[in-house]
C-alpha cells in the first residue's frame, strides 16, 4: 500500500479472502468458521484502515464477514476510505453450489462508492459469470467494477472483458500473486 500510494495510486484492490483466507483453501472445513479468529481479522482490518488514513488511499479488501446464530459468513469486500473509515461492505450475491452448501451465505444488494468523482461497484469470483451483476452496475451509473477473486481462470477473463465492453464500464481484477494449490473436497 505504501508503494502504491507513493506512486500516486488513490484506490487499491485486494483479492477475495485476502484477510480471512478462502473457504476450501485456507479454511479447510466449514466448521472452521466456528473457531476462526475473528478478533485477529478485525484487528488487521483496523490496521489496514489506519494505514489508508495515513497514506490517504482507498482500499478494497477481501475477507469473510461473521454472521450470527451459526450462519456461514458472507464472502465480502470491505471498502475503506482515505480517512481510514469503513465506507461500505459488499457481500457476494451469487455463490457456487459448493459455497451454498455451508461455506458462505449470499449477500443481497450491489454497493456503490465514490473515489475522486468516479463511481465504483464490486463483484467477487464466480459473479464474473452473471451478466446481471454488470448490467445492474451499468444502470446504476458506475464508471468501473472492482472484481476480486481467489484466482482468475481464462473463462473469467473472457467474461470480464465482455462485461466491460458490453456495459461500457472499466473492470479491475485482483487475485493473489501466488495461489496455493490443493485438492478440493469432493
Amino acid at each position: 500500500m505504501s508503494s502504491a500510494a507513493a506512486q500516486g495510486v488513490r484506490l487499491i484492490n485486494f483479492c477475495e479472502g485476502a484477510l480471512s483466507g478462502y473457504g476450501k483453501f485456507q479454511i479447510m472445513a466449514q466448521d472452521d468458521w466456528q473457531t476462526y479468529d475473528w478478533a485477529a481479522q478485525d484487528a488487521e482490518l483496523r490496521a489496514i484502515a489506519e494505514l489508508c488514513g495515513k497514506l490517504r488511499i482507498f482500499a478494497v479488501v477481501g475477507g469473510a464477514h461473521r454472521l450470527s446464530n451459526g450462519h456461514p459468513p458472507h464472502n465480502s469486500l470491505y471498502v475503506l476510505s482515505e480517512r481510514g473509515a469503513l465506507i461500505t461492505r459488499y457481500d457476494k450475491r451469487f455463490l457456487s453450489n459448493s459455497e451454498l452448501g455451508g461455506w458462505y451465505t449470499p449477500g443481497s444488494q450491489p454497493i456503490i462508492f465514490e473515489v475522486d468523482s468516479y463511481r465504483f461497484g464490486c463483484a467477487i469470483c464466480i459473479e464474473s459469470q452473471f451478466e446481471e451483476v454488470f448490467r445492474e452496475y451499468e444502470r446504476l451509473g458506475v464508471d468501473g467494477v472492482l472484481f476480486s477473486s481467489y484466482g482468475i481462470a481464462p473463462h473469467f477473463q473472457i467474461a470480464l472483458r465482455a462485461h466491460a465492453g458490453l456495459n461500457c464500464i472499466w473492470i479491475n481484477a485482483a487475485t493473489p500473486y501466488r495461489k496455493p494449490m490443493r485438492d478440493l473436497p469432493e
Side-chain angles (χ1 to χ4, degrees):
M1 285 177 62
S2 296
S3 175
Q7 295 176 50
V9 170
R10 296 281 297 133
L11 171 62
I12 190 166
N13 184 23
F14 291 95
C15 72
E16 173 183 29
L19 286 173
S20 59
Y22 179 65
K24 299 180 276 180
F25 282 86
Q26 292 81 23
I27 307 298
M28 305 302 277
Q30 297 164 356
D31 289 341
D32 290 349
W33 290 123
Q34 303 304 316
T35 59
Y36 180 74
D37 191 347
W38 293 102
Q41 177 177 301
D42 291 344
E44 187 66 25
L45 188 60
R46 280 192 307 276
I48 294 168
E50 287 175 23
L51 186 57
C52 285
K54 178 182 172 190
L55 299 173
R56 308 296 291 163
I57 189 172
F58 292 79
V60 175
V61 183
H65 180 76
R66 185 179 201 175
L67 298 177
S68 61
N69 299 327
H71 294 286
H74 287 305
N75 185 349
S76 302
L77 296 174
Y78 294 90
V79 181
L80 305 168
S81 78
E82 67 180 340
R83 292 189 170 94
L86 178 66
I87 297 174
T88 189
R89 187 189 78 237
Y90 176 70
D91 302 322
K92 183 177 178 182
R93 297 177 284 159
F94 293 88
L95 304 179
S96 70
N97 287 332
S98 65
E99 289 174 322
L100 286 169
W103 290 100
Y104 295 105
T105 297
S108 61
Q109 61 190 14
I111 58 102
I112 297 174
F113 66 98
E114 196 169 301
V115 175
D116 300 339
S117 300
Y118 292 99
R119 293 168 48 90
F120 294 96
C122 292
I124 301 174
C125 195
I126 200 170
E127 290 181 323
S128 68
Q129 303 304 295
F130 293 88
E131 66 180 282
E132 54 266 47
V133 170
F134 300 91
R135 263 196 333 247
E136 182 176 30
Y137 278 129
E138 191 273 334
R139 271 194 320 274
L140 293 170
V142 303
D143 297 295
V145 173
L146 301 177
F147 175 80
S148 297
S149 186
Y150 194 69
I152 301 181
H155 63 282
F156 280 19
Q157 295 175 38
I158 292 166
L160 291 171
R161 288 183 186 119
H163 295 311
L166 292 170
N167 295 291
C168 299
I169 56 176
W170 293 97
I171 298 178
N172 167 274
T175 189
Y177 173 69
R178 290 187 190 160
K179 183 175 104 176
M181 299 303 291
R182 72 178 228 24
D183 293 331
L184 293 177
E186 299 277 327

